[in-house]
Amino acid sequence: MRVLIVGGTRFLGRAIMERLAARGDEVMVANRGRTECELPDGVARVECNVDEPGSLLAAIEGNSFDAAIHMIAMNGARARTVIEDLKGRIGHYVHCGSTGIYMPLQRVPADEEHPIDPPPDDEGGFNGKWEAMQETAWLCAEYDLPLTIVNPTCIVGAGDVPIDIWGARDPKFFQRLLDGKRITIPNDGQGLIQLGNVRDIADCFVLALDRPDRTGVYNASCRYAITHNYYVQLLGEALGVEPRVRHMPVEKIIKRWPKKLTPRGIRFFAAHMCFSMRKAERELGYDPKMTPEMSVEESVRWMLDTGIIERR
């Protein structure tokens, strides 16, 4: 299979690229060239500006592909630019969305039929991703292009700093926890978070590529959500420390530490994240192997091994 990955050199995109290359697929990655990384043998890379119409088309130099995966469709304009450049040159389009578009949840676990009405961005909404998803769906229907949308939950695992309890990916939080300093958990800590391992979610994308006859929207994550309190407990166990914690309402945290967080990030984190994978399991054969407990351990080990955090 010939596959083009738009924005595929970091974390999830890289995990997908490595899986495809390992099984012998012909892979090309298109990005801005800002991320330095060693590519697997046989993977080609071209540089382009996906916000500039015609840039991607010029970069691929007349190549055509069985499928393309767009990893960085952050708004409707970018989604349109990429699809317009690729129309007539791909047989299947796979869009990387986000379960964040479903927030705030009305029911849990939420499936792909959950209503979508994101709040404003400063309240934790994912309006840009929702706009990109709508534009993608409209254009693919217009061009009769088979479309699969994979919506990951919060992605963790070796390769990137995991989400912290204020909704960022700040190494300082994990270092603070490791140093035995007190941390502040939003609200009562009973909010839910669902941690999808990067390797499992990469597998879901590959399964989607292999089933162009199974188009549609699919959630991808681990099999269950955990509370914020339990997440901190797992982090403490992986770090070998007893977390010192206190709880505080989200809005009070925002007022007290306005320069140490983004209101959007912590408001998003404080909302429940709990999703069903049954559709992907049933239609794509998705079978996530990593539990939240395993993924937290893997993430912490990676941060320690790479020196992102250190014992002092």
Side-chain angles (χ1 to χ4, degrees), residues 185-207:
I185 301 176
N187 300 325
D188 62 359
Q190 295 302 312
L192 297 175
I193 184 169
Q194 197 156 349
L195 304 171
N197 188 276
V198 63
R199 289 175 289 163
D200 283 334
I201 295 175
D203 287 341
C204 191
F205 275 86
V206 174
L207 288 167

Side-chain angles (χ1 to χ4, degrees), residues 75-85 135-136 138-139 143:
N75 54 58
R78 181 178 289 181
R80 172 176 284 275
T81 296
V82 168
I83 294 174
E84 292 285 5
D85 275 7
E135 187 75 3
T136 296
W138 187 86
L139 287 169
Y143 299 140

Side-chain angles (χ1 to χ4, degrees), residues 24 26 28-29 41 55 70 73 89 94 112 133 139 141 150 171 198 209 226 232 239-240 245 252 271 288 290 296 302:
E26 187 177 343
M28 177 181 287
V29 175
D41 291 341
S55 179
H70 192 179
R89 298 182 179 277
V94 179
E112 292 81 357
M133 182 171 164
L139 287 169
V150 179
V198 63
L209 284 173
I226 60 175
V232 172
L239 290 166
V245 305
K252 187 174 180 180
M290 298 291 286
V296 169
W302 176 80

Side-chain angles (χ1 to χ4, degrees), residues 9-279:
T9 53
R10 290 195 68 254
F11 204 34
L12 177 57
R14 183 171 183 85
I16 296 168
M17 171 186 65
E18 290 174 345
R19 274 157 173 68
L20 294 174
R23 71 178 195 176
D25 289 324
E26 187 177 343
V27 181
M28 177 181 287
V29 175
N31 66 5
R32 294 188 179 187
R34 295 177 178 176
T35 303
E36 291 292 335
C37 72
E38 185 175 341
L39 300 178
D41 291 341
V43 174
R45 178 166 65 177
V46 297
E47 294 184 11
C48 66
N49 181 353
V50 292
D51 294 317
E52 180 182 317
S55 179
L56 176 59
L57 178 60
I60 63 175
E61 298 181 331
N63 282 287
S64 60
F65 305 88
D66 298 300
I69 309 175
H70 192 179
M71 301 299 303
I72 50 173
M74 307 307 293
N75 54 58
R78 181 178 289 181
R80 172 176 284 275
T81 296
V82 168
I83 294 174
E84 292 285 5
D85 275 7
L86 294 179
K87 65 181 179 182
R89 298 182 179 277
I90 57 174
H92 180 203
Y93 192 78
V94 179
H95 171 91
C96 180
S98 171
T99 52
I101 63 171
Y102 299 116
M103 314 300 283
L105 299 184
Q106 298 176 9
R107 60 177 184 265
V108 294
D111 61 17
E112 292 81 357
E113 300 301 318
H114 189 282
I116 300 175
D117 186 19
D121 286 349
D122 63 353
E123 295 180 16
F126 273 56
N127 286 281
K129 294 293 284 186
W130 175 223
E131 179 187 83
M133 182 171 164
Q134 292 179 94
E135 187 75 3
T136 296
W138 187 86
L139 287 169
C140 287
E142 178 76 8
Y143 299 140
D144 196 27
L145 177 62
L147 168 66
T148 303
I149 297 172
V150 179
N151 286 330
T153 62
C154 180
I155 308 171
V156 295
D160 199 4
V161 176
I163 193 168
D164 63 56
I165 58 170
W166 286 2
R169 291 179 181 264
D170 188 351
K172 293 178 182 178
F173 163 76
F174 302 97
Q175 186 65 58
R176 184 178 181 85
L177 192 62
L178 181 58
D179 290 344
K181 297 179 180 179
R182 187 168 63 174
I183 61 170
T184 304
I185 301 176
N187 300 325
D188 62 359
Q190 295 302 312
L192 297 175
I193 184 169
Q194 197 156 349
L195 304 171
N197 188 276
V198 63
R199 289 175 289 163
D200 283 334
I201 295 175
D203 287 341
C204 191
F205 275 86
V206 174
L207 288 167
L209 284 173
D210 289 343
R211 295 300 305 268
D213 58 319
R214 294 287 189 176
T215 56
V217 180
Y218 297 94
N219 296 335
S221 187
C222 63
R223 297 189 187 278
Y224 55 87
I226 60 175
T227 67
H228 299 161
N229 285 334
Y230 184 47
Y231 180 39
V232 172
Q233 177 186 325
L234 291 175
L235 288 169
E237 292 172 358
L239 290 166
V241 299
E242 182 67 32
R244 295 180 57 219
V245 305
R246 64 178 167 186
H247 296 85
M248 188 179 294
V250 167
E251 296 307 314
K252 187 174 180 180
I253 294 175
I254 292 172
K255 289 180 181 178
R256 186 161 181 176
W257 293 288
K259 295 182 179 180
K260 293 186 177 182
L261 53 75
T262 62
R264 179 183 184 274
I266 194 170
R267 286 171 177 150
F268 169 72
F269 182 85
H272 285 309
M273 288 182 263
C274 179
F275 301 91
S276 169
M277 306 301 117
R278 290 181 181 176
K279 183 180 178 184

